[in-house]
Amino acid sequence: MRELDRILTTQRPFGPPDTETVVNAGVHDADRLFDRSNLIYARAMGPARPTYIVGRKGAGKTAFLLSSTLRGGPPSEVLRTATVYHEMAAVLRRYRNGRGPLFVEQAAEIWLALFEQVAVYHAGRHASAGDSPNDLQVLWDYLGPPGAGPEDATGMAERFLSELQRRIADPGVVGLREVLEGQAHGGNTIGRVRQAMANVLRGRGEPLVIVMDNLEDLHEQLGELHHVLAGMFAAVGRVIADHQDCRPYGLQICLPSELFDQIHEISAAPEKDFRLSYLTIYWTAKELLRLAGTRLQLFLQMHHPDRVDALRRAADRFDEPDPAVALLRAALPETVRNGLGRPEDPLAYVLRHTQLLPRHLIEILNSVFTARVRDSLPWAVSPAAVLIGTRAAERLIVKGVFAAHRASFPFASDALNRLSDALPICFPANELRKMFNRKGIRKLTGVDFDDFLSMLFTLGVVGVRFDQTARYNKAHFQYTFDSVLTAEEDVDHLCFHPLFTRFLHERSLPGLRKGRALATYPHGCDPADEDYRVSLGYAEALQRS
């Protein structure tokens, strides 16, 4: 467990906000940092394992995707996505320049051949007692001696794609089929090697899953990777259709939900390429708190073990069934006074400032628990630290939201700046149209009002009010739905998300406070509420599928 103190540090008690840092650190106990008891994880790891894992930036796609590498599950080979995309782009470019452009189905053939090479690598390098000796020998001859062959699956992919480039440049090699099938190592044809791989992998108890993670900056490269991605989607669709029970191998690939519409446009045949084999990640407040409480417990055990017992005794006074969540509550103050001057439960305050994403909660709690505030300690956080830490983190989170959607809405930040201090936190929907026209947002963005409102829903900037209490305006936000959120201009009220309150109301906040404005409470942020995935139908759909 001492290895974990490289991850849960005094600067970041809850760890880095991204999974890649944890995985790349090679920490033996890293699995303890992730939540495996939630409903979506059960679907991701179930018998009908989805091929695509889809989620917003910060949803933990990598954690779901790499679960089998962190905990005993089906064997997997994890490809370095950036490397594979880059090398595949070079192959397609070389082919186009030397032999003419490829159709999507032809690019898919190259992807299928690449996946087969990875499966060959796995079958040969992870031999088991039940494997056919003859087939294993074919694979070993093809791969070469362990010290001389590829070091990992990505190295195998690089070797294959490099050889393709050489064969594409060879005028004696005619046609794509000969480019792909003409390679040979160890005296065996590609066809014989492919058959040996299939025999070995079909005979093993657990199926092989080839994994490709998402790229954080995929939105910046989407245009350049159009042909690479179109070919990959077509290849994946064929694997979904032809490889029943992931035999001889299956695929699991991360995609950002922020780009899902554009990805469908890249796909030549979305209904064939995706085949409904994808899972969208949704988190509940209860799951996020369990994740955070577990990490706090591990952090205190490593860095402040003398404080753990006293904090556990303090946690016993909370009516909280999860000991880790009770520990988190005990470390926080009983109440805070929010920016509108109203008393509030600190966990409610923190959760309201997330869009129900692990990355958001981890960033906020890291900032809260390390805030340079007098008399605030990791086991006794002060109210001032909650406010100051949350405010510091929300600036980064807002920038991250804009960055994640930059490909679709490059003008989002500038357009929202036009609304600064122009509207209250909650307002009639038709008031937004008036401000849209008055502030010249159409001229700035080039989009009409309906598209602008759709952008605000997509980014989670505004939601639709559905209830009101003495303290809050409760609102639905699109990130808890798998469909488009809409509003009736003459009926509905819109509410700004708490993340954007400071961004949009820095100067008007004193006036809002004086007018006793209500804060926004996004639906799904209350741990005591019914699981919104159940109430909206997601959980039932997952259990039936």
Side-chain angles (χ1 to χ4, degrees):
M1 186 168 117
R2 295 304 304 176
E3 274 190 307
L4 287 179
D5 59 15
R6 288 193 279 132
I7 299 297
L8 305 179
T9 66
T10 54
Q11 292 78 34
R12 295 190 298 192
F14 294 85
D18 61 293
T19 304
E20 293 88 340
T21 301
V22 177
V23 174
N24 293 338
V27 177
H28 176 69
D29 287 326
D31 184 63
R32 302 179 65 181
L33 299 173
F34 302 104
D35 178 37
R36 297 289 180 261
S37 58
N38 62 63
L39 209 57
I40 302 297
Y41 176 79
R43 172 68 174 85
M45 296 296 109
R49 179 187 291 257
T51 300
Y52 292 103
I53 303 293
V54 181
R56 290 173 291 150
K57 185 176 181 180
K61 296 184 293 296
T62 302
F64 281 89
L65 194 69
L66 301 183
S67 291
S68 59
T69 67
L70 296 172
R71 170 177 292 191
S76 63
E77 293 292 347
V78 181
L79 295 175
R80 294 189 293 279
T81 306
T83 299
V84 174
Y85 283 177
H86 181 269
E87 295 301 320
M88 182 64 76
V91 167
L92 297 184
R93 187 165 52 248
R94 174 67 66 89
Y95 203 101
R96 181 176 63 250
N97 293 339
R99 295 171 177 255
L102 291 166
F103 292 103
V104 169
E105 287 300 319
Q106 292 174 305
E109 291 289 343
I110 301 177
W111 272 105
L112 289 170
L114 181 145
F115 292 141
E116 286 178 348
Q117 291 287 309
V118 174
V120 166
Y121 172 84
H122 180 85
R125 289 291 184 253
H126 299 276
S128 63
D131 295 339
S132 161
N134 290 338
D135 288 325
L136 278 180
Q137 190 60 57
V138 169
L139 298 177
W140 291 339
D141 290 343
Y142 181 76
L143 292 171
E151 294 184 357
D152 58 17
T154 302
M156 185 71 181
E158 288 181 289
R159 185 181 88 169
F160 170 70
L161 294 174
S162 294
E163 290 179 351
L164 278 192
Q165 290 211 53
R166 287 193 290 271
R167 293 184 62 76
I168 290 168
D170 185 349
V173 178
V174 180
L176 178 61
R177 179 54 49 196
E178 189 173 346
V179 169
L180 294 174
E181 299 287 343
Q183 299 183 65
H185 290 272
N188 291 293
T189 65
I190 289 291
R192 176 67 184 98
V193 173
R194 181 186 299 119
Q195 187 60 54
M197 173 271 291
N199 292 341
V200 168
L201 292 182
R202 286 195 176 101
R204 291 184 182 172
E206 295 256 37
L208 166 66
V209 178
I210 299 172
V211 171
M212 290 185 68
D213 196 5
N214 178 50
L215 296 179
E216 287 281 325
D217 59 346
L218 180 60
H219 59 282
E220 297 179 2
Q221 306 292 334
L222 211 55
E224 289 78 3
L225 292 175
H226 187 286
H227 296 295
V228 171
L229 294 173
M232 184 184 75
F233 296 147
V236 172
R238 288 166 61 175
V239 171
I240 295 171
D242 298 339
H243 293 205
Q244 299 300 313
D245 301 320
C246 295
R247 302 291 186 172
Y249 63 85
L251 301 170
Q252 208 158 38
I253 295 171
C254 267
L255 293 175
S257 59
E258 294 92 341
L259 300 178
F260 214 45
D261 288 344
Q262 293 178 64
I263 283 169
H264 271 77
E265 292 177 3
I266 289 174
S267 167
E271 70 283 358
K272 289 173 57 180
D273 295 352
F274 295 95
R275 298 177 187 269
L276 298 181
S277 184
Y278 60 85
L279 172 72
T280 303
I281 299 174
Y282 297 96
W283 288 82
T284 64
K286 186 178 296 184
E287 290 167 350
L288 292 175
L289 290 184
R290 185 187 304 120
L291 174 72
T294 299
R295 292 193 176 191
L296 175 63
Q297 184 170 277
L298 290 169
F299 168 77
L300 292 175
Q301 287 172 349
M302 287 183 294
H303 295 277
H304 304 285
D306 56 321
R307 301 289 178 172
V308 174
D309 287 342
L311 195 61
R312 281 177 176 159
R313 288 193 295 271
D316 289 341
R317 73 177 188 270
F318 293 101
D319 183 18
E320 173 56 63
D322 191 311
V325 177
L327 194 77
L328 181 63
R329 285 193 175 278
L332 292 166
E334 291 188 8
T335 187
V336 297
R337 193 164 291 274
N338 63 31
L340 295 172
R342 295 172 181 264
E344 189 171 0
D345 169 51
L347 280 185
Y349 179 79
V350 167
L351 284 168
R352 285 197 305 108
H353 287 79
T354 75
Q355 292 184 341
L356 294 179
L357 294 174
R359 182 174 298 182
H360 291 180
L361 184 60
I362 289 170
E363 286 181 334
I364 291 174
L365 290 178
N366 277 336
S367 184
V368 165
F369 276 70
T370 60
R372 296 185 179 277
V373 176
R374 184 178 179 182
D375 298 329
S376 187
L377 300 164
W379 58 89
V381 177
S382 72
V386 174
L387 299 178
I388 292 171
T390 301
R391 183 176 182 182
E394 71 184 26
R395 296 178 186 274
L396 295 176
I397 293 172
V398 167
K399 289 180 179 179
V401 172
F402 289 145
H405 293 273
R406 189 176 296 130
S408 301
F409 311 116
F411 48 76
S413 180
D414 291 338
L416 278 179
N417 273 320
R418 295 285 178 98
L419 296 179
S420 293
D421 302 302
L423 290 164
I425 294 175
C426 189
F427 51 91
N430 54 20
E431 288 295 315
L432 182 62
R433 182 184 289 273
K434 294 177 184 177
M435 286 299 161
F436 175 84
N437 294 329
R438 189 177 303 167
K439 299 292 183 177
I441 294 176
R442 183 197 302 273
K443 183 177 181 181
L444 173 70
T445 63
V447 301
D448 62 22
F449 174 75
D450 290 337
D451 288 337
F452 178 70
L453 178 58
S454 177
M455 179 196 78
L456 297 183
F457 283 144
T458 300
L459 270 62
V461 175
V462 298
V464 179
R465 187 176 75 183
F466 68 90
D467 195 10
Q468 191 175 59
T469 69
R471 187 176 297 176
Y472 300 114
N473 285 308
K474 294 186 175 182
H476 285 129
F477 285 82
Q478 187 163 303
Y479 55 76
T480 58
F481 291 82
D482 64 352
S483 58
V484 175
L485 196 63
T486 59
E488 295 185 45
E489 281 192 55
D490 297 328
V491 176
D492 288 321
H493 276 67
L494 302 179
C495 300
F496 285 115
H497 193 283
L499 269 175
F500 293 87
T501 299
R502 295 267 180 193
F503 182 85
L504 293 168
H505 299 96
E506 191 69 45
R507 289 186 293 110
S508 57
L509 200 58
L512 293 170
R513 190 182 301 121
K514 185 176 180 180
R516 300 191 61 77
L518 301 180
T520 303
Y521 204 99
H523 178 60
C525 282
D526 190 342
D529 282 349
E530 179 187 8
D531 187 330
Y532 71 86
R533 298 166 307 190
V534 175
S535 62
L536 296 176
Y538 310 151
E540 283 189 0
L542 291 174
Q543 290 171 337
R544 284 197 300 267
S545 60

